[in-house]
Amino acid sequence: MQLAIMGGPIEMTDTQKGNCLKLERPVVSMCCLTYNHVDTIAQCLDGMLMQKVEVPFEIVVHDDASTDGTAEIVADYAARHPGRIRTILQTKNQYSYGPHPIALLFEAARGDFIAICEGDDFWTDECKIKIQWQALESHPSIDICAHASQTWISSADSGPKKMRPFSYPEGIYSAADLLLKERIKVQTATLFFRSHVVGSYVRFMRARKRNVGDVYLKALCARRGGLLYLAREMSVYRLASLGSWSGSIRSDYIARSTSATSKIIGLSDLRYQLGSPVDHAIRTVSARTILWVLRDHHMPFIQKIIFLVHNARYLSPRALWKVSIRRFFRGGA
């Protein structure tokens, strides 16, 4: 069955079609965004299915026209768990020409709360959703919760290598803290938030193309009461895995500069939405993003100059001067 929605078609199995209407409205939507994650998607979905949740929940999976068999695995899971897993199986890749697929995924979610895990990451604690739901229920003035996580680096020779866990003191962190990442860094698979706050985020993403969305998601969700952080380790983040955004731009300076420009523009727009509390943080992150591109030794010098001139208007005069000095006078080209 093909259902036309904004951004592309949805494929829903006949079994799902018959059972979805019988489900009571979910309190929690566990959302999975996947593309070419054939080796990891099963582990991701298993982490969702094992959750011990005391309220009605659904699992919504958006596959962005994978070419490696990921969509077939997702369809098989949906067939084996009728009425529990809802699938959005794209026949045309949305990321390559439309808004970020995460906007489509969140629009399909029906729960009062949303948890997200991309197809190359996975949850390790069967009580993760229960713990985070209870945490936000106990803090009605806070809209988003996150937790500690492990990081794995995959290697063809030695397999996954575990890095130092992302773990910080429990407490409440501001939107500026999340943008600067000096006090705290949280991974996408740790996020749990109220669904009513994603409307502004979906509109924000729909107006932009090919942005990396979790930066803005965290900041927008934390604008009211900050982010509640739990020190319990409950997920794994795979760094630069096959099919991941970080892996795809690691050796492509054109992709790096394009992505950086998109991010800087988005941050500038975000500053107007969130106001003065994040002004310094956004200017700092914009300067760091420019430096991240200029440090690429494979990027021709003239391309660095063009990139810097193109993005100079998003920096304060002081930040622009500091970037120029650090890169071209002290660090060389």
Side-chain angles (χ1 to χ4, degrees), residues 27-28 53-55 112-113 127-139 145 192 194 230:
V27 174
V28 176
V53 188
E54 298 174 349
V55 295
D112 298 321
F113 299 86
C127 295
K128 168 194 154 68
I129 297 300
K130 176 182 177 181
I131 290 170
Q132 290 189 284
W133 174 72
Q134 291 176 339
L136 286 190
E137 284 289 277
S138 300
H139 294 80
C145 177
F192 184 89
R194 303 183 196 277
L230 308 176

Side-chain angles (χ1 to χ4, degrees), residues 184-197:
I184 186 171
K185 296 178 182 178
V186 295
Q187 301 301 329
T188 305
T190 74
L191 301 181
F192 184 89
F193 46 91
R194 303 183 196 277
S195 60
H196 72 80
V197 300

Side-chain angles (χ1 to χ4, degrees), residues 17-189:
K17 183 174 60 174
N19 284 278
C20 274
L21 296 178
K22 299 177 185 179
L23 283 175
E24 53 186 321
R25 184 174 178 274
V27 174
V28 176
S29 293
M30 305 179 196
C31 294
C32 174
L33 190 67
T34 187
Y35 173 72
N36 283 356
H37 294 141
V38 68
D39 294 328
T40 58
I41 185 61
Q43 191 172 26
C44 175
L45 296 178
D46 287 340
M48 292 182 168
L49 289 166
M50 76 175 181
Q51 293 300 308
K52 294 183 176 180
V53 188
E54 298 174 349
V55 295
F57 72 92
E58 66 177 356
I59 297 172
V60 187
V61 186
H62 180 287
D63 178 80
D64 203 17
S66 292
T67 59
D68 65 347
T70 300
E72 288 75 9
I73 295 175
V74 170
D76 177 65
Y77 266 78
R80 288 190 283 118
H81 300 277
R84 178 62 67 199
I85 299 178
R86 298 167 53 216
T87 60
I88 306 172
L89 305 178
Q90 299 288 357
T91 57
K92 183 180 292 186
N93 184 267
Q94 302 300 296
Y95 182 80
S96 62
Y97 73 92
H100 199 291
I102 202 169
L104 306 177
L105 180 61
F106 287 165
E107 286 177 333
R110 301 178 298 171
D112 298 321
F113 299 86
I114 293 176
I116 183 168
C117 187
E118 296 177 333
D120 53 344
D121 302 328
F122 63 98
W123 299 337
T124 57
D125 193 318
E126 63 186 8
C127 295
K128 168 194 154 68
I129 297 300
K130 176 182 177 181
I131 290 170
Q132 290 189 284
W133 174 72
Q134 291 176 339
L136 286 190
E137 284 289 277
S138 300
H139 294 80
S141 63
I142 295 177
D143 294 323
I144 185 170
C145 177
H147 57 76
S149 65
Q150 286 187 22
T151 298
W152 289 7
I153 298 180
S154 297
S155 170
D157 300 325
S158 58
K161 178 182 179 182
K162 296 182 181 180
M163 297 176 62
R164 179 180 59 85
F166 282 91
S167 184
Y168 304 90
E170 289 198 349
I172 299 172
Y173 294 82
S174 69
D177 292 332
L178 297 169
L179 288 166
L180 285 171
K181 299 182 180 181
E182 290 173 347
R183 293 189 62 207
I184 186 171
K185 296 178 182 178
V186 295
Q187 301 301 329
T188 305

Side-chain angles (χ1 to χ4, degrees), residues 93-101 205-213 216 245 248-249 252 254-256 258-263:
N93 184 267
Q94 302 300 296
Y95 182 80
S96 62
Y97 73 92
H100 199 291
M205 293 303 295
R206 279 196 167 276
R208 291 151 188 86
K209 184 178 179 181
R210 301 182 69 179
N211 260 317
V212 179
Y216 314 107
W245 172 83
S248 67
I249 68 167
D252 186 342
I254 296 178
R256 284 164 66 92
T258 300
S259 175
T261 297
S262 181
K263 177 180 177 180

